[in-house]
Amino acid sequence: MNLGLLKNRNFLFFILGNGISLIGDDFLAVGLSLYVLSLTGSASQFATVLAISMLPTIFLSPITGPIIDRINRKFILILNNMLRGAIMIAAFIYLLFNKANLVEIYIVSFIFGICTSFYQPAAMTVIPSILEEKDLVHGNLMNSIFDQICNVMAPIAAAYVYTFFGLKAICLVDGISFIVMGLIILSIKIKPKQDKNERKIFTSIADGFRLYKDKEVLSISLNAMLTHMLIIPIFSIGFPYLVKTIFKGNDINFGTIQTICTIGTFLTFISVPILNKRFNDLKALNITMYGMLGSISILFALNIIGFFNFITTSTLGMIIYLSIIGFLFYFSFATYGVFYTSFVQKKSHVGIFRKVLCFA
C-alpha cells in the first residue's frame, strides 16, 4: 500500500470520518436485528425492515445521479449526515420514554433508505476527487482496511451496549457518528466537477440506461445486484436468526460471531495487491464472487443430522462454525468491494456511477 497517501489531509480526514460513520451503522444494524428478533421472534420481520430500507434506493437510483450532478456534492454529504444524525438523536430521546414498534421502525428505515440513495453515489465520488486515478486502488484499499477495523470493533461492542442499555443507546451512538462525519466533511476540500456542460435531467437519465449496452457495465451491474439481493441477506438476516432462534444463542454470542467474521476483511491488504497485479477489475470481481459462493456452500453441512445436533448442543462449536463461514465470506466480499469501487470510480467520467451504485 502507498502509505504516502495518508499525507493527503483530505483523504485522511475522509477515511477517518467514514470509519466513524460505519461504526454507527454497524451499531444500528446489530441493534435493530437483535431488537426486531426479540420483539417478534421472526426473521421475516427483520427481512421486511431491510427490504423497506432498500426500496427508495431501487426506485430513486435512476434520478439520484443526475440530481447529484447538479448539486454540490459536499453540501449533499453534510446535509445527509446531519439529517440522519438528527433523526437518530430524536429516536434516542423518544426511546427514553417509549418502546419502538414495528411501524415506527419501518418509517425510520424508509427515511434512511431515501438518505442512503443520495449519500452513496455522492460519497463514492469523494476519493476520486481528492486522489489521482493511479492511486485509486491503493486509496480504496486503505479506506476499506480502515473501515474493516471499525467493523471488527463495532459488532461485539454493539451487542454489549444493546444488552445492557437497549436500543436507545444504539441510536445515540449512531446519531453522534453521523454528526461527527458531517463535521469532518465540512473540513474537507473536494474538487468541483470538471464537466460544466450539464444536459437536461431526463436526457441524463436516458443516457444512463443506454450505458447498459456496454457489456462491462451490464456485467458489473448484474453482479452487484445479485450479490446484494441474494447473498448478503444470508448474513444480515440468516445469521441473527440462526444464532438467536435456531441455536438459542444470546446477544453476546451473535456479537462475537460478527466480530470474528469481519476480521477476515483485514486480509485485503494481501489479496488486493496480488489480484491487482494479475487481473483486471472485472476478472478480480469474478474470482472474489466464487470465493463468496464457496464460503456459503459450507452451510450445507447443516444438512448432516449428526453435525446439526452437535452445533445445536455446543455453543462453542456453533460460534466456531459460523465464524469460519463468515470469516471466509467477508474476506472475499471485502476484496470484491475494493475492485468494485475502483471500477465504478474509473467509469464515473462517463456517468456510470449513478446507475451502478444503487446496489453498492
Side-chain angles (χ1 to χ4, degrees):
M1 290 186 296
N2 182 8
L3 296 179
L5 295 178
L6 295 177
K7 295 179 181 179
N8 185 323
R9 174 184 176 278
N10 294 318
F11 176 66
L12 176 61
F13 275 32
F14 178 75
I15 65 173
L16 287 175
N18 201 46
I20 293 171
S21 180
L22 279 175
I23 290 177
D25 285 343
D26 287 347
F27 261 64
L28 188 62
V30 171
L32 279 183
S33 63
L34 295 175
Y35 182 80
V36 173
L37 282 175
S38 66
L39 189 66
T40 66
S42 170
S44 62
Q45 293 287 356
F46 183 56
T48 302
V49 173
L50 293 181
I52 288 175
S53 68
M54 289 185 66
L55 284 177
T57 302
I58 294 172
F59 289 107
L60 292 176
S61 59
I63 66 172
T64 53
I67 291 175
I68 290 170
D69 285 346
R70 289 159 173 78
I71 301 176
N72 186 291
R73 290 170 296 173
K74 186 172 181 177
F75 172 77
I76 293 174
L77 293 173
I78 294 172
L79 178 63
N80 208 298
N81 278 290
M82 292 302 184
L83 177 60
R84 290 188 289 177
I87 292 172
M88 285 293 96
I89 296 297
F92 163 71
I93 296 173
Y94 177 81
L95 291 173
L96 288 175
F97 309 99
N98 304 277
K99 184 177 181 180
N101 57 47
L102 281 178
V103 174
E104 292 165 343
I105 291 175
Y106 291 158
I107 293 172
V108 172
S109 297
F110 186 77
I111 294 173
F112 263 58
I114 295 174
C115 293
T116 300
S117 66
F118 284 91
Y119 179 82
Q120 286 183 338
M124 188 69 79
T125 65
V126 172
I127 290 181
S129 71
I130 56 182
L131 294 180
E132 300 295 330
E133 183 172 321
K134 63 182 177 64
D135 295 321
L136 283 181
V137 170
H138 285 281
N140 288 319
L141 174 58
M142 295 174 69
N143 183 49
S144 175
I145 289 177
F146 186 76
D147 287 349
Q148 303 318 322
I149 292 174
C150 297
N151 286 336
V152 167
M153 297 186 298
I156 187 65
Y160 275 101
V161 170
Y162 177 82
T163 299
F164 294 107
F165 302 104
L167 186 62
K168 58 182 178 294
I170 296 289
C171 291
L172 178 61
V173 172
D174 200 27
I176 292 173
S177 71
F178 281 129
I179 292 173
V180 170
M181 179 57 173
L183 294 174
I184 289 177
I185 291 293
L186 186 63
S187 67
I188 294 176
K189 293 182 179 179
I190 300 176
K191 294 179 182 178
K193 300 187 298 293
Q194 298 298 317
D195 184 11
K196 299 297 183 181
N197 184 24
E198 296 178 342
R199 292 160 292 178
K200 293 181 179 180
I201 187 168
F202 291 109
T203 302
S204 298
I205 293 172
D207 288 343
F209 281 106
R210 292 190 190 100
L211 288 170
Y212 282 122
K213 293 180 180 180
D214 184 326
K215 291 183 179 179
E216 286 188 349
V217 170
L218 179 61
S219 173
I220 193 67
S221 299
L222 292 175
N223 190 305
M225 180 179 69
L226 293 175
T227 298
H228 285 76
M229 291 184 66
L230 302 179
I231 298 179
I232 297 299
I234 293 175
F235 295 87
S236 61
I237 299 171
F239 266 36
Y241 184 74
L242 282 174
V243 174
K244 295 282 292 179
T245 304
I246 302 299
F247 299 130
K248 308 300 179 184
N250 57 37
D251 297 343
I252 304 302
N253 295 154
F254 173 64
T256 301
I257 291 171
Q258 286 291 95
T259 291
I260 295 174
C261 288
T262 53
I263 291 176
T265 59
F266 284 123
L267 297 182
T268 53
F269 79 92
I270 297 175
S271 60
V272 169
I274 292 175
L275 291 176
N276 189 44
K277 287 181 180 179
R278 299 184 180 183
F279 307 103
N280 61 31
D281 290 345
L282 284 177
K283 184 65 176 179
L285 285 169
N286 288 331
I287 292 172
T288 52
M289 176 63 75
Y290 292 137
M292 287 188 277
L293 294 175
S295 63
I296 291 172
S297 67
I298 303 174
L299 282 170
F300 287 108
L302 291 175
N303 288 321
I304 303 173
I305 296 178
F307 181 73
F308 179 82
N309 291 335
F310 167 73
I311 295 298
T312 303
T313 57
S314 172
T315 300
L316 179 60
M318 178 264 292
I319 291 175
I320 293 175
Y321 172 65
L322 294 180
S323 294
I324 289 174
I325 296 172
F327 180 92
L328 294 174
F329 173 81
Y330 279 100
F331 164 61
S332 300
F333 182 67
T335 306
Y336 167 94
V338 172
F339 287 101
Y340 174 82
T341 302
S342 298
F343 175 86
V344 173
Q345 291 170 343
K346 291 173 184 177
K347 287 285 187 177
S348 65
H349 67 281
V350 294
I352 183 57
F353 72 91
R354 63 173 170 260
K355 293 302 302 172
V356 180
L357 283 182
C358 68
F359 297 105

